[in-house]
Amino acid sequence: MAQIAVDSSPKKKNFLRSPYMLTIALLPIILAAWWLATTVTKSVPAILLPTPESVWIAFPRVLGADGFGDQVLRTLTEIAGGFALGASVGFFLGVLLSSSSRLRAAYLPFLSALEAIPTVILAPIIIAWIGFGIEGKILQAAIACFYAVFITTLSGLGLAEPNAVALMKSLRASKWQTMVKLRIPTALPVIFGGLQLGATTAIIGAIVSEFIGATGGLGYLMLRYRSSFDTAAYWVIIFLFLVIGLVVYLTIWYIEKRFVFWRRIEVTRPDLEKQ
Amino acid sequence: MTTMTQTAPLVRVDGVTKRFGSGDKEMVALSGLNLEVREGEFLSLLGPSGCGKSTALNIMGGLLEATEGTVTFSGEQLTEPNRHIGMMFQQAVMFPWRTTLENVLLPVEIFGEKKKDFIPKAEELLEMVGIKDFRDSYPWQLSGGMQQRAALCRVLLHDPKLLLLDEPCGALDEFTRESMNQELLRLQDYAKSTAVLVTHNITEAVFMSDRVAVMSARPGRLVDIIEVPFDRPRRPDLQTTNDFIKLVAKARQMLELQ
């Protein structure tokens, strides 16, 4: 009955063997291919794909441009606001629908059908309704990310073990207590999957709606660079989105690790899961 | 009045039938079960898989509703879970996001009481089952037997009058099961509660119980009740005595005769 070691990764922490090395190893290969295709062989015209050097040079120009910080801040606000709104609504609706099979039967098909409407075709409608301002972009990002959080919450809340539900019932726990103390914690790993997915779609939602029509933001900047055929600057912003996506992913991953600390270890112990 | 409550059984199961589904898919899990559980006794429901013994237990715990018949607990008809009835399941059902102590204190939160008031008792129980050192560990850091001991502490925290045990040692290995059973008997005696154990292990049923209710396979019904006369506390070497072996043989015969 010895205590089981908590450490799930007994392997030595060797940076060279860490998965990040695979990412880093890929970088020079991509850069080399890019450089070969544009600078060396000139087989791809610069208007389609700028050379690595020109993008490198464009970085300080784009980042140092007047009011650039405001544009970044605006897009980040749209993403964060839309994500917070969409994820909250998605979570709330997931909890609501999970608690009633009548509500589920009535609204689940409808909500799922709504998800089939592409963000792009909603954008002009939203602009027509509430204008080019930041509110419309937040709404657009929220609509884009709500479904992922909603559907994962709904399915995650159904994952509580029958025995655990019976235990709560035998303690005369209310529906609400069972929800808060059992169903939501059980669903957290799945909900975090939905949050990851939702964060990505919130980014897409915000950018797409800026593309359709906006008075500011990174998507708006991209449109301006495109119309002046400044492909290199356009690519700089693509890289910025990559950075934003990475930071968002890592942030959620970090929060997940704090909240769902109990899960990964369990997954690595199939012998315990059987019991 | 006092003498009446003393002689009246703690639980009375009266003509309980349970059917699941309807029409062609109807399944009779339990058919006309009559059973009395006496105050302070240890009773086992012994039978093959699918004899409805777990169904009977869930009905006694108010988790399931009987299709026909009634269950009376402490003189009142039972229709829903009762605070004075504690249930243990085949799995320990420890929440992995809670430490051992937090798991043991779960009922306190559900009942809306102050956790602080129950920590000393929880610690005392953990000490009694020998896992006090693991109070701040998480369930996945404990073995299956330790988890089940913690579950026992959780169910005993509020001194239930009636303990309903649905094969709580079923998922444990033979050695752990035996020491866990000893623990169960010791704590049932300490808490002065009445216990009903569901099991398909004949030796276990005879060893633990004052009476063994033998049940038949589907549809589940009561075959007979065996009185087990041995003194308490019971030691493991009881299992090698002739009288014990004879009783086990008798129970086995009843199960095979059906």
Side-chain angles (χ1 to χ4, degrees), chain A residues 119-205:
Chain A
T119 315
V120 195
I121 61 170
L122 280 180
I125 301 172
I126 290 171
I127 289 168
W129 284 352
I130 49 181
F132 290 93
I134 192 166
E135 302 85 355
K137 310 299 174 243
I138 289 175
L139 183 63
Q140 182 95 51
I143 290 171
C145 80
F146 129 87
Y147 189 75
V149 181
F150 160 70
I151 205 75
T152 49
T153 303
L154 184 60
S155 63
L157 291 176
L159 288 177
E161 265 184 76
N163 267 334
V165 177
L167 171 74
M168 295 302 273
K169 207 176 160 193
S170 80
L171 293 171
R172 301 166 56 103
S174 67
K175 250 187 148 179
W176 175 247
Q177 284 175 322
T178 306
M179 181 62 76
V180 172
K181 293 191 191 297
L182 171 64
R183 291 196 188 277
I184 291 177
T186 307
L188 274 185
V190 183
I191 294 175
F192 268 103
L195 289 175
Q196 275 304 359
L197 197 61
T200 327
T201 49
I203 298 174
I204 296 172

Side-chain angles (χ1 to χ4, degrees), chain A residues 41-64:
Chain A
T41 64
K42 294 194 169 46
S43 53
V44 182
I47 191 82
L48 295 184
L49 185 63
T51 62
E53 303 97 291
S54 66
V55 174
W56 182 251
I57 292 162
F59 257 97
R61 177 162 56 84
V62 173
L63 269 52

Side-chain angles (χ1 to χ4, degrees), chain B residues 10-214:
Chain B
L10 181 64
V11 183
R12 186 197 295 273
V13 179
D14 220 355
V16 164
T17 292
K18 180 69 185 175
R19 285 187 287 267
F20 290 106
S22 59
D24 288 348
K25 285 179 184 158
E26 186 182 273
M27 199 270 283
V28 184
L30 207 58
S31 172
L33 180 70
N34 292 305
L35 191 68
E36 284 184 355
V37 185
R38 300 168 187 158
E39 188 108 42
E41 79 168 329
F42 198 114
L43 176 95
S44 284
L45 294 178
L46 174 68
S49 313
C51 75
K53 51 194 193 298
S54 287
T55 306
L57 199 77
N58 284 333
I59 292 174
M60 289 162 81
L63 289 185
L64 275 179
E65 221 176 315
T67 316
E68 284 165 29
T70 54
V71 175
T72 323
F73 172 72
S74 286
E76 280 172 36
Q77 195 175 330
L78 186 92
T79 49
E80 54 175 15
N82 187 298
R83 243 196 97 134
H84 301 293
I85 302 177
M87 297 193 77
M88 271 182 87
F89 307 91
Q90 188 163 1
Q91 280 86 22
V93 199
M94 293 276 116
F95 295 171
W97 50 86
R98 286 169 171 260
T99 63
T100 304
L101 184 67
E102 286 166 353
N103 267 295
V104 172
L105 291 172
L106 176 75
V108 179
E109 288 174 34
I110 308 280
F111 296 155
E113 296 158 333
K114 280 201 193 116
K115 270 201 243 178
K116 224 173 63 188
D117 300 345
F118 285 85
I119 289 175
K121 173 127 194 240
E123 284 179 335
E124 186 192 325
L125 285 165
L126 287 172
E127 178 141 41
M128 283 187 80
V129 299
I131 54 171
K132 198 187 175 203
D133 292 345
F134 294 91
R135 49 165 270 173
D136 296 322
S137 302
Y138 287 93
W140 28 269
Q141 294 170 297
L142 308 184
S143 69
M146 292 159 99
Q147 289 187 35
Q148 204 51 284
R149 278 159 207 263
L152 182 60
C153 296
R154 181 178 60 200
V155 76
L156 288 175
L157 190 63
H158 283 83
D159 296 312
K161 278 191 196 161
L162 177 65
L163 269 174
L164 299 177
L165 311 163
D166 193 354
E167 294 193 59
C169 305
L172 305 177
D173 63 83
E174 195 61 32
F175 298 106
T176 318
R177 174 197 275 257
E178 226 168 61
S179 69
M180 182 67 204
N181 277 338
Q182 286 286 336
E183 216 72 74
L184 260 175
L185 286 180
R186 196 160 65 93
L187 283 169
Q188 184 238 351
D189 183 56
Y190 164 84
K192 301 204 169 19
S193 61
T194 308
V196 177
L197 170 75
V198 157
T199 181
H200 53 235
N201 185 318
I202 304 171
T203 314
E204 183 177 270
V206 174
F207 181 73
M208 305 282 286
S209 314
D210 299 305
R211 294 190 303 150
V212 178
V214 181

